[in-house]
Amino acid sequence: MILNVSGRTDIVAFYTDWFMNRYREGFFDVRNPFYKQQVSRIYVEDVDAILFCTKNPMPIIPYLKEIEKPILFHVTLTPYKSDIEPGVPAKRKIVEAIKEISKIVGIYNIYIRYDPIFISDKYTIEYHIKAFNHLCELLNGYVKHFIISFIDDYKNVRNNYKFLRLKEFKESDYEAIGKSFSKSAKNNGMTVQTCFEERNLVEYGFIQADCLGKELAERLTGKTKFKKWKARSGGKCNCVEMVDIGVYNTCRHFCKYCYANYDEKIVAQNSKLHDVNSSLLIGKLAEDDIIKRRKN
């Protein structure tokens, strides 16, 4: 089992204390969002590796050597300002944290997600080209791989058009990103790929790869039992199956493009229900909950 921490919220940034409490206790409980009484119990002993997905990895750094599981990091690092990412710490601090993590888990176990890319009058193609090149130069020797994606039409994106002021991508924009990003990555000993995009930009030098495919899962764990993540994107995604312990509408970064939040009022309500000592990320177990052990 690959534990995803988390695609639904930034557990590392806001709930590291809870995560470490659960890790030490030996299990995590995850409520089914569609059948509230059903709770999956995930035992640490059944976990083969942990994927940490975060915009702010700083809180977990002091505990990494305590975690006796293979670790992979996906750190999202974008060039947007506080108008788009109001809750994200200063990017220079994130860069320094990435360097520190690379020294702990290894250069091949930390990926940077420049994700998502959108363009506007403020965040132009030229802006992204310059920012990506600078990022590659800063992380040369600490990172080997970048993953990018383009903005999707999520509910939260539609709610925030007035902040995003999106412009449509032209073919010339894809070409400029593809050629420039490929060159910047290559010049700094790195590779770059897209994340499940129709335009994978391989014709401009991007590699064709999965974010966490079977080969990478086998390298991390030494095991060969991993299945394709059929529930994701209608089975079109080739990543291995993962178990997410997060909860939607609980991330306080409040990024204007986020797919995992759609209502900031609900985020505030959910945050108040968080108990660092609960087995659930949000709320507590009820007497009539049905708890079942999940092994894969």
Side-chain angles (χ1 to χ4, degrees), residues 6 8-16 53-59 74-78 80-91 94 115 156 160 249-261 263-264 267-268 271:
S6 156
R8 299 172 181 168
T9 188
D10 200 328
I11 287 177
V12 171
F14 300 110
Y15 306 107
T16 279
C53 299
T54 181
K55 282 189 173 74
N56 176 14
M58 290 185 282
H74 281 190
V75 180
T76 299
L77 185 55
T78 54
Y80 306 117
K81 308 297 184 183
S82 59
D83 59 328
I84 304 299
E85 297 178 342
V88 178
K91 304 301 170 68
I94 306 303
D115 167 19
N156 197 43
N160 287 305
N249 277 314
T250 58
C251 181
R252 299 195 298 276
H253 287 314
F254 297 120
C255 301
K256 303 304 182 185
Y257 52 73
C258 183
Y259 64 87
N261 285 349
D263 190 321
E264 292 187 5
V267 174
S271 296

Side-chain angles (χ1 to χ4, degrees), residues 1-3 42 46-49 225-226 243 294-296:
M1 178 193 302
I2 305 291
L3 203 65
I42 300 157
D46 295 327
V47 173
D48 297 305
K225 63 180 182 178
F226 299 100
V243 178
R294 180 165 180 174
K295 291 188 177 181
N296 51 48

Side-chain angles (χ1 to χ4, degrees), residues 17-112:
D17 288 345
W18 172 85
F19 175 84
M20 291 308 303
N21 280 348
R22 300 318 315 148
Y23 179 84
R24 291 163 183 152
E25 187 73 16
F27 68 90
F28 303 84
D29 285 335
V30 182
R31 190 176 297 283
N32 188 313
F34 303 105
Y35 305 97
K36 299 295 186 182
Q37 284 183 292
Q38 292 185 8
V39 175
S40 294
R41 178 157 289 179
I42 300 157
Y43 285 90
V44 173
E45 66 187 60
D46 295 327
V47 173
D48 297 305
I50 301 173
L51 170 63
F52 287 117
C53 299
T54 181
K55 282 189 173 74
N56 176 14
M58 290 185 282
I60 199 74
I61 291 175
Y63 305 105
L64 289 178
K65 293 180 180 178
E66 182 181 340
I67 299 172
E68 297 178 343
K69 297 287 181 179
I71 293 172
L72 181 69
F73 268 90
H74 281 190
V75 180
T76 299
L77 185 55
T78 54
Y80 306 117
K81 308 297 184 183
S82 59
D83 59 328
I84 304 299
E85 297 178 342
V88 178
K91 304 301 170 68
R92 66 182 183 279
K93 294 182 179 180
I94 306 303
V95 167
E96 292 307 311
I98 289 168
K99 292 178 179 179
E100 189 171 351
I101 291 168
S102 177
K103 293 175 184 177
I104 298 171
V105 305
I107 194 170
Y108 292 101
N109 286 5
I110 183 164
Y111 289 15
I112 305 304

Side-chain angles (χ1 to χ4, degrees), residues 212-223:
L212 208 173
K214 193 170 185 292
E215 184 178 336
L216 176 54
E218 291 175 359
R219 176 179 70 76
L220 278 172
T221 67
K223 298 182 178 181

Side-chain angles (χ1 to χ4, degrees), residues 118-228:
F118 72 86
I119 53 176
S120 66
D121 288 335
K122 180 176 181 178
Y123 300 108
T124 63
I125 290 294
E126 292 75 18
Y127 180 96
H128 282 292
I129 289 172
K130 183 178 179 181
F132 184 80
N133 185 68
H134 183 54
L135 196 54
C136 288
E137 291 175 346
L138 286 174
L139 293 175
N140 188 334
Y142 298 94
V143 170
K144 282 290 185 182
H145 199 66
F146 274 84
I147 300 173
I148 76 157
S149 69
F150 300 102
I151 197 164
D152 289 309
D153 190 29
Y154 298 118
K155 182 177 180 180
N156 197 43
V157 170
R158 294 193 295 272
N159 290 342
N160 287 305
Y161 273 150
K162 64 181 179 180
F163 297 102
L164 297 167
R165 301 178 183 273
L166 303 179
K167 287 188 171 183
E168 277 194 51
F169 282 89
K170 301 174 184 177
E171 181 56 36
S172 58
D173 297 326
Y174 289 118
E175 181 179 0
I177 287 173
K179 289 181 176 179
S180 298
F181 280 32
S182 295
K183 182 179 179 181
S184 293
K186 185 178 180 180
N187 287 345
N188 289 279
M190 303 166 178
T191 56
V192 58
Q193 70 169 81
T194 59
C195 172
F196 193 60
E197 295 285 342
E198 289 186 11
R199 295 306 313 275
N200 59 21
L201 305 184
V202 293
E203 67 268 39
Y204 301 121
F206 278 43
I207 65 168
Q208 191 162 2
D210 307 307
C211 297
L212 208 173
K214 193 170 185 292
E215 184 178 336
L216 176 54
E218 291 175 359
R219 176 179 70 76
L220 278 172
T221 67
K223 298 182 178 181
T224 60
K225 63 180 182 178
F226 299 100
K227 298 178 181 178
K228 181 179 175 180

